[in-house]
Amino acid sequence: MKTSEAKFREPQGERPKAVKLAVLPGDGIGPEIVAQAVKVLDVLKRDGAKIEMEYGNIGGIGYDREGDPLPESTLKLSKQADAVLLGAVGGPQYDTLDRPLRPERGLLRIRKELNLFANLRPALLYPELAGASSLKPEVVAGLDIMIVRELTSGLYFGQPRGIEIRKGERVGFNTMFYSESEIRRVAHIAFAIAMKRGKRLCSVEKANVLECSELWREVVAEVAKRYPEVELSTMYVDNAAMQLVRNPKQFDVIVTSNLFGDILSDEASMLSGSIGMLPSASLDEHNKGMYEPIHGSAPDIAGRDIANPLATILSVAMMYRYTFAEAATADRIENAVKQVIAQGYRTSDIWTAGGTKVSCSAMGDAVVAAM
Ligand code: NAD
């Protein structure tokens, strides 16, 4: 485990000559929002960055064009790339397909195939958007949380799983499973991130009821010994769900399992106003990552050029911070986003009185101009 710790704490600063990106727009609003992020990458290219982009199909479009939500060609492209930029997958027209052919399965498979075990989801509130949060501005103003969710194990992957007939009725079952190495590697990432932030880590589980959580608690405490500067606390998931709306600013970094992280990170996202603002990173042991907005394919607004592209643009910033270890480029993109927000540009999901309502593509143009 020492290796994964060292690798994460000292990201490979050696920037490849040309970075290779797999660009997977996906379904619904995916192509619209990814096009805006590509404009940002084009600015970096214009300014001398060597970036090669190759497109692939994933999700519903993967099924439509290649008969598979994760076509072999996309997997190969993604494995060869230094990082993956993804839009979103899914749509009502795919909901009746057999489970293995559904878009979401493509997403689960690519995460597993690329061994992207750590999902980083910041919940950050831009002061100008405090009014768009569902909580009172004084509760959320200045919010800045990072949720680290384990992504490739736990209840979503545990075996056995299924629906079958037992004693004359249908039963459904899943298995919550964690090995100590799976817990340890995600804990290392969370501690390393806490070291770079406020040095406080809260491990969220349900150790009073679940053996799986009991092990989680023990292993996180063992890893903590390597990070004496980080103040570790533990919290049961039901309490964490409550504390996130009661007093969210008490948190700095949260580390948790796949199921709990899925729910808590969606809850945290609403604190920041719109899921259209929040990026995410999913990393492997070598900081290779897949970067995507946290929201889905939003079929209700797809094709109308009204989606918020900022989460996807901020995902590119995360890519530069975590995979390419180029903090200055990440800062440049994030500052451009801060600037357009401060200038009052708003897509309809974050529009409040006084702002200038803009389309998805106009928001992309505004970020490019601010860069
Ligand atoms: P969603 O995130 O797509 O949309 C929820 C709501 O938020 C909708 O009203 C939508 O219009 C709005 N919204 C989302 N992103 C937005 C943006 N960038 N700008 C403005 N508004 C935005 O979730 P859903 O409606 O539950 O799911 C739709 C489809 O997306 C489903 O097929 C689901 O399986 C899939 N999905 C995919 C992912 C992913 O690709 N990572 C994640 C969640 C859901």
Side-chain angles (χ1 to χ4, degrees), residues 62-296:
Y63 171 75
D64 288 341
R65 292 188 181 162
E66 302 182 53
D68 187 340
L70 180 61
E72 202 51 48
S73 55
T74 301
L75 185 58
K76 191 171 166 211
L77 168 71
S78 305
K79 282 187 170 167
Q80 287 169 348
D82 299 306
V84 179
L85 177 65
L86 181 112
V89 302
Q93 68 272 43
Y94 305 111
D95 287 349
T96 49
L97 288 174
D98 285 347
R99 273 183 194 284
L101 297 176
R102 290 195 196 160
E104 294 74 12
R105 281 296 170 101
L107 202 53
L108 291 180
R109 265 174 52 210
I110 195 171
R111 288 171 179 162
K112 191 80 177 169
E113 290 277 354
L114 298 181
N115 204 16
L116 305 174
F117 63 85
N119 183 222
L120 278 50
R121 285 180 48 164
L124 186 93
L125 188 73
Y126 293 83
E128 295 87 350
L129 300 182
S133 170
S134 49
L135 296 191
K136 294 187 196 116
E138 62 269 27
V139 177
V140 284
L143 180 79
D144 183 2
I145 303 176
M146 177 68 85
I147 298 186
V148 181
R149 164 189 170 196
E150 199 291 325
L151 202 59
T152 51
S153 185
L155 191 66
Y156 292 175
F157 291 96
Q159 296 287 348
R161 61 189 296 163
I163 300 174
E164 59 185 42
I165 306 285
R166 289 185 194 169
K167 293 183 185 159
E169 66 169 346
R170 285 176 300 162
V171 296
F173 52 96
N174 293 84
T175 303
M176 187 179 268
F177 175 96
Y178 271 109
S179 67
E180 58 180 319
S181 57
E182 288 169 337
I183 301 168
R184 197 170 284 123
R185 64 185 184 177
V186 75
H188 271 298
I189 285 200
F191 276 104
I193 289 174
M195 283 294 289
K196 291 182 178 169
R197 294 175 40 109
K199 298 196 172 136
R200 286 182 298 119
L201 177 65
C202 181
S203 171
V204 171
E205 22 76 345
K206 191 72 181 165
N208 52 342
V209 180
L210 302 170
E211 285 78 2
C212 199
S213 282
E214 210 177 301
L215 180 68
W216 180 282
R217 183 177 282 211
E218 281 173 27
V219 174
V220 171
E222 287 161 23
V223 174
K225 292 182 188 139
R226 287 185 179 272
Y227 302 88
E229 286 178 56
V230 176
E231 183 195 318
L232 173 67
S233 59
T234 59
M235 196 178 275
Y236 296 141
V237 62
D238 42 348
N239 187 26
M242 186 181 75
Q243 295 298 333
L244 269 175
V245 287
R246 195 184 73 86
N247 177 18
K249 283 189 278 181
Q250 69 184 283
F251 297 108
D252 176 22
V253 181
I254 290 175
V255 63
T256 191
S257 60
N258 204 343
L259 169 72
F260 299 156
D262 191 3
I263 299 166
L264 292 182
S265 54
D266 265 22
E267 184 189 0
S269 69
M270 276 324 290
L271 306 176
S272 20
S274 169
I275 54 175
M277 293 298 299
L278 295 177
S280 76
S282 304
L283 303 178
D284 75 359
E285 275 190 292
H286 311 287
N287 294 326
K288 173 170 173 166
M290 186 162 86
Y291 295 84
E292 55 180 314
I294 68 158
H295 57 72

